[in-house]
Amino acid sequence: MNKKMFIVLIIVSVICPVFILFISRFDTVQDLMKPPRLYGDNEKIQTAFEISLKDSNDLLLKYPSEGEYRSAYVMYDVDMDGQDEAFVFYTLKSDETIVRINILDRVNGEWLSISDTAGYGSEVTSISFVDMNNDGQSEIVIYWSLYESKTSKVVTIHKTTNKGEKITNLKTMANESCSYFKMVDLDSDGNTEMFLSQIDSSNDTPRAYAKLLKIGKGNTISVVGEVNLDGSVSGYSSFKVETDNLGNPPKIYIDANKGENQMITEVVYWNKQTSTLEAPLLDRATLSNLITLRTPGISSMDIDGDGKIEIPTDADKNNNSTSDINNPNEIRVGITQWCEVSDNHLVPKVYSLVNYNDLYILIVDRSDAESVVVYNNLKQRKLTVYKKAADEQNGEELFSIITVAVGDWSNNPKEGYSILKRNDSLVYAYNISTAGTQVGIQPETLASNIKILQ
């Protein structure tokens, strides 16, 4: 490298950081990153939108973080006139606490902004379009996050107002705080309702509840049902809808976290006879749901493939409790029973061992569940099943399952073990002892009964 080139590199290395520091005093990174210009008809939409603002430089586009639509420009034919309208989410740099909605429509062949309204949060979680009453025009459902809050959410339902065949404004029909919501025909009348749940921790005694919102006459939305839920949960993990072919109303299964490693499942459905929401597993006296409390916090699922959702519950008190104070890595695993909801009661159907640390479930027969003792060694990642001795402790070893990283297994397969199942990252391998073979344990049975949770 010659001397002149060396001097140039020294000057560049000194000046560039100073220049970057200088301009950063005037513009944030977000200010410097401008969204790319759109093309074709989309560019006309963008231009019409920016013209409608007093200062397009005061603009920050907002993008939905979940759902089908992830663009700040959402195109949808909301009034069913055969032509898409554009919904643009944005905030002003002068007020980033509120997302605004700008609606653009094609008028006489030109794109024009026809409505600009304030939303209900500082971020947009999702937007969806649902014809809730089958009138041929979709309602607009928007899920909002609130400013500086990770848990508080608001869901709103809107409808466009029209003058003749043209949209003139956006009307808010419902505005509800919620932790989770789902659009579902819960009362089986052919129309879509909004089912939502909310955890309210604003008072000394937390409460939780579920609501059902429905469109009635005159395009008004009202709460047609509300029921209490267990308020001592920390958050919701999943919502599932169960339907059948017998004409029964759908059931909502809500998995809710309690503490770090416990979970309950709420079940909510619409009672046709009383026209009310029902939560049959809630103890009305204590407003708690202890009947489904389990450790670890495994979610409800269709465990046996019959099309119905089963809820895991602790069949005994030994589930994942440390049994040897001198060996904290050795955990005794209890039996998890999976129950279906029948006539508002839990009915056991399937029994299993749950290895929550390595994320798999092993289904066992009920008779076997009552005759074995199971330990999980967390350090060795080894689940060992023993025959239960007369003193309720472990007797002869029947079989064991180890979990090994794919790379480790390829380099050094465990002697005496054969692959049971594998995925992209883990190998699940088994060893059946002589005692296990004598009682009829077969590799094919283990392979068909193990369910990987990831």
Side-chain angles (χ1 to χ4, degrees), residues 99-373:
V99 175
R100 301 187 65 85
I101 314 167
N102 194 299
I103 304 178
L104 298 102
D105 199 3
R106 193 190 294 269
V107 180
N108 298 325
E110 298 291 333
W111 282 99
L112 295 175
S113 172
I114 57 174
S115 173
D116 192 283
T117 57
Y120 292 82
S122 60
E123 299 289 341
V124 184
T125 302
S126 67
I127 178 173
S128 57
F129 302 90
V130 183
D131 186 355
M132 295 178 65
N133 56 353
N134 294 310
D135 67 349
Q137 187 169 345
S138 295
E139 281 68 44
I140 305 157
V141 180
I142 307 178
Y143 199 25
W144 310 86
S145 298
L146 300 182
Y147 188 66
E148 293 186 343
S149 175
K150 296 182 179 180
T151 57
S152 296
K153 302 270 190 178
V154 171
V155 63
T156 53
I157 304 175
H158 307 267
K159 203 172 188 73
T160 55
T161 58
N162 294 51
K163 185 176 182 180
E165 296 181 354
K166 293 300 179 183
I167 294 174
T168 58
N169 211 336
L170 190 65
K171 177 185 177 182
T172 300
M173 305 172 69
N175 170 18
E176 294 281 344
S177 297
C178 75
S179 302
Y180 204 98
F181 81 94
K182 203 167 191 71
M183 306 303 295
V184 59
D185 181 9
L186 200 61
D187 60 5
S188 303
D189 69 343
N191 292 331
T192 301
E193 294 84 42
M194 173 182 282
F195 175 86
L196 63 86
S197 64
Q198 167 71 348
I199 303 170
D200 183 1
S201 303
S202 59
N203 298 318
D204 293 337
T205 303
R207 66 179 293 258
Y209 54 86
K211 284 183 178 181
L212 190 67
L213 279 67
K214 188 178 185 67
I215 287 188
K217 295 180 179 179
N219 279 332
T220 59
I221 292 182
S222 58
V223 177
V224 295
E226 182 171 344
V227 66
N228 286 317
L229 302 177
D230 191 325
S232 62
V233 299
S234 56
Y236 295 124
S237 173
S238 67
F239 271 45
K240 304 178 185 73
V241 180
E242 177 187 279
T243 58
D244 61 27
N245 298 321
L246 303 177
N248 295 315
K251 291 186 179 76
I252 305 287
Y253 289 74
I254 310 171
D255 292 323
N257 298 313
K258 280 201 171 189
E260 294 183 359
N261 63 346
Q262 292 185 311
M263 183 175 284
I264 65 169
T265 299
E266 304 274 20
V267 176
V268 183
Y269 70 93
W270 180 258
N271 188 320
K272 284 187 175 181
Q273 284 68 42
T274 61
S275 296
T276 58
L277 282 181
E278 299 279 353
L281 303 183
L282 183 77
D283 186 326
R284 295 184 180 181
T286 62
L287 294 182
S288 62
N289 179 344
L290 298 180
I291 191 172
T292 65
L293 183 65
R294 66 266 190 183
T295 305
I298 190 76
S299 297
S300 59
M301 68 182 74
D302 180 7
I303 190 69
D304 56 359
D306 67 348
K308 293 184 177 181
I309 296 172
E310 286 82 36
I311 300 173
T313 63
D314 291 346
D316 58 48
K317 303 301 180 183
N318 292 323
N319 271 13
N320 286 353
S321 59
T322 303
S323 57
D324 186 350
I325 193 171
N326 297 317
N327 187 2
N329 290 314
E330 195 80 10
I331 305 297
R332 183 163 178 173
V333 180
I335 301 299
T336 297
Q337 63 182 8
W338 297 77
C339 305
E340 69 175 351
V341 179
S342 178
D343 294 328
N344 291 344
H345 294 89
L346 292 180
V347 179
K349 285 181 62 182
V350 177
Y351 294 81
S352 74
L353 304 170
V354 177
N355 187 335
Y356 190 68
N357 298 282
D358 290 318
L359 297 176
Y360 67 83
I361 297 170
L362 185 68
I363 295 175
V364 297
D365 292 335
R366 181 174 182 176
S367 57
D368 293 335
E370 296 172 347
S371 62
V372 297
V373 174

